[in-house]
Amino acid sequence: LNGTIRRGKEEELAWEERLKPLGNEIVAVYDAAGNHPFVNMIVSTIPEKAYVRGVWTEDTLRERFEKVSSVCKKVAAIDECGGTLYKYFISYLQSVFISLRSYDVKNLNDQVDVESMDNFEILANASYWMDRGDFEAAVRYMNQLQGEARKVAGDWLKEAKLLLETRQAAFALTAFASASGLGTVF
């Protein structure tokens, strides 16, 4: 299950064909557990979409992040109500000039006031953490986007959250299997 979540289908395929449903792997874990209540509870938390359709791998979502964040920067100045063609043009122009500005990237231990951050700063932080391999921190920042940038990032966020939920369940199952194995040794 962990391997499928990490690698998906390993061949180079079209986007839609990269997904591998996790149903067979989840059923195998369930059968191996012998109706254990902890395993049943964890398996029940795995979203149905992961069973049927599968999840995107972290690498695929990282690849897609570059495109999504690029579009988000271009519409970052547009609020929830949308905007006119003029507002979109100004937002695009602002994104060009803002890209030259550097932002104070927040450390994971820092207290972050997201109310004082604009979409450009949020995107800068998300990109920083994505570049450093911290997928979860990048998702946390992307989740704070507002307005049109939030709409653009919406599908990516749904897929990233689906991956994180499924991966967390798989890690819990792996930890349980390791603890059960150690319990039989001692």
Side-chain angles (χ1 to χ4, degrees):
L1 180 62
N2 278 322
T4 303
I5 292 170
R6 246 189 341 272
R7 292 185 302 273
K9 288 186 178 176
E10 293 184 336
E11 325 67 73
E12 285 297 319
L13 301 169
W15 279 97
E16 292 77 28
E17 296 172 352
R18 291 184 190 181
L19 291 169
K20 182 178 185 305
L22 301 176
N24 293 338
E25 287 80 1
I26 293 169
V27 167
V29 167
Y30 184 76
D31 290 344
N35 204 22
H36 193 280
F38 179 78
V39 174
N40 292 345
M41 182 192 62
I42 296 297
V43 167
S44 71
T45 65
I46 297 174
E48 186 177 337
K49 198 173 197 177
Y51 279 92
V52 179
R53 194 205 67 189
V55 294
W56 294 104
T57 64
E58 188 172 319
D59 290 339
T60 304
L61 287 172
R62 282 178 190 281
E63 184 180 328
R64 199 168 143 203
F65 174 82
E66 296 302 321
K67 296 172 187 165
V68 169
S69 66
S70 173
V71 175
C72 284
K73 286 175 190 169
K74 293 174 185 169
V75 297
I78 308 297
D79 62 8
E80 288 84 6
C81 300
T84 62
L85 189 57
Y86 176 74
K87 274 180 119 177
Y88 278 91
F89 175 72
I90 295 299
S91 180
Y92 175 77
L93 207 57
Q94 186 178 4
S95 74
V96 171
F97 291 115
I98 291 287
S99 66
L100 304 174
R101 179 179 168 202
S102 65
Y103 283 99
D104 180 31
V105 177
K106 308 295 185 214
N107 190 329
L108 288 179
N109 297 327
D110 291 346
Q111 180 123 8
V112 177
D113 180 19
V114 292
E115 298 298 323
S116 67
M117 296 173 73
D118 63 1
N119 282 342
F120 293 107
E121 189 172 359
I122 291 169
L123 288 165
N125 277 278
S127 294
Y128 175 84
W129 290 111
M130 186 66 83
D131 291 344
R132 295 220 172 14
D134 194 338
F135 187 76
E136 290 179 38
V139 171
R140 274 188 241 121
Y141 276 105
M142 291 293 281
N143 201 40
Q144 301 305 315
L145 289 172
Q146 297 175 359
E148 195 66 26
R150 174 64 181 222
K151 290 178 188 174
V152 168
D155 285 341
W156 183 86
L157 273 169
K158 286 179 191 172
E159 296 299 334
K161 289 175 184 178
L162 179 66
L163 169 68
L164 291 173
E165 289 172 13
T166 308
R167 189 167 67 182
Q168 184 176 21
F171 286 162
L173 290 169
T174 302
F176 175 74
S178 296
S180 297
L182 285 175
T184 59
V185 171
F186 296 108

